[in-house]
Amino acid sequence: MRFRLLKMVLILSAAAPVAADFAFGQVPASAAPEGVVETVLVEKGERRLQLLGADGTVLKSYTIALGGDPLGHKQREGDGRTPEGRYTIDWRNPQSAYHLSLHISYPDETDTRRANERGEDPGGMIMIHGMRNGLGWLGSLHQYVDWTDGCIAVTNAEMDEIWRLVPNGTPIEIRP
């Protein structure tokens, strides 16, 4: 019963409108923090995000929540999937509806072309973010349910750390 209630709270909070939050919150790369992180690695099946150094050493590791239908590569807007492949952290939003957010450069040209061939919208606004503002008290409970619309979620404290360590321009690899 507790997990069903948690899932309902997370899903309802994820469904709230957030488009306006992104319009004014982009921060240019020059305002990004300097870090030692060379790559962000996401392993969807393991529900793990790792920050890797230059030699591939794991600097930090976090348990994550994903989209509500996490298996497979994101195909279209609203499919609840997190994309798979190589992208870049290309901008950040300190005024997000979720505690801080780092934007992933999905869709790339290939994603867009494939979606267009199917007559679909590839979707977008895939982020690494903390909890919905006001729900930070859930902490690590969020990781028991895949609740985002395709984003990668961590606790607020973890997001604070990722925000400081991962500069714009950092490559991100998202594996199945």
Side-chain angles (χ1 to χ4, degrees):
M1 177 65 178
R2 279 188 268 166
F3 289 122
R4 279 190 276 166
L5 178 60
L6 172 62
K7 184 173 183 176
M8 185 170 43
V9 167
L10 290 170
I11 289 171
L12 289 174
S13 67
V18 296
D21 294 330
F22 293 104
F24 58 84
Q26 296 183 18
V27 176
S30 61
E34 290 189 31
V36 295
V37 174
E38 293 290 324
T39 305
V40 176
L41 174 62
V42 175
E43 296 168 307
K44 290 170 43 175
E46 301 295 321
R47 300 300 188 275
R48 180 173 50 217
L49 180 149
Q50 295 178 323
L51 305 182
L52 306 178
D55 59 355
T57 305
V58 176
L59 304 172
K60 295 285 184 172
S61 185
Y62 309 93
T63 302
I64 59 174
L66 297 169
D69 186 14
L71 297 179
H73 179 61
K74 184 164 192 62
Q75 300 293 311
R76 66 187 165 283
E77 179 74 28
D79 66 6
R81 293 185 180 168
T82 303
E84 296 171 357
R86 295 175 186 267
Y87 299 95
T88 302
I89 302 298
D90 56 358
W91 56 268
R92 57 192 56 233
N93 184 356
Q95 299 171 350
S96 172
Y98 296 83
H99 183 72
L100 304 174
S101 60
L102 299 176
H103 184 261
I104 297 169
S105 63
Y106 173 89
D108 62 16
E109 289 180 24
T110 302
D111 297 317
T112 301
R113 181 180 41 77
R114 288 179 183 157
N116 288 340
E117 288 171 357
R118 294 187 307 272
E120 298 175 330
D121 179 343
M125 298 309 281
I126 303 298
M127 314 291 274
I128 300 170
H129 60 69
M131 299 302 298
R132 175 99 177 147
N133 292 336
L135 293 178
W137 57 270
L138 287 169
S140 62
L141 289 175
H142 83 95
Q143 64 193 264
Y144 292 105
V145 175
D146 285 320
W147 58 272
T148 76
D149 288 333
C151 293
I152 299 163
V154 295
T155 68
N156 289 357
E158 292 166 339
M159 191 62 220
D160 287 340
E161 187 170 64
I162 294 167
W163 180 271
R164 284 191 311 273
L165 295 173
V166 177
N168 290 0
T170 301
I172 179 169
E173 181 178 351
I174 305 172
R175 297 179 182 166

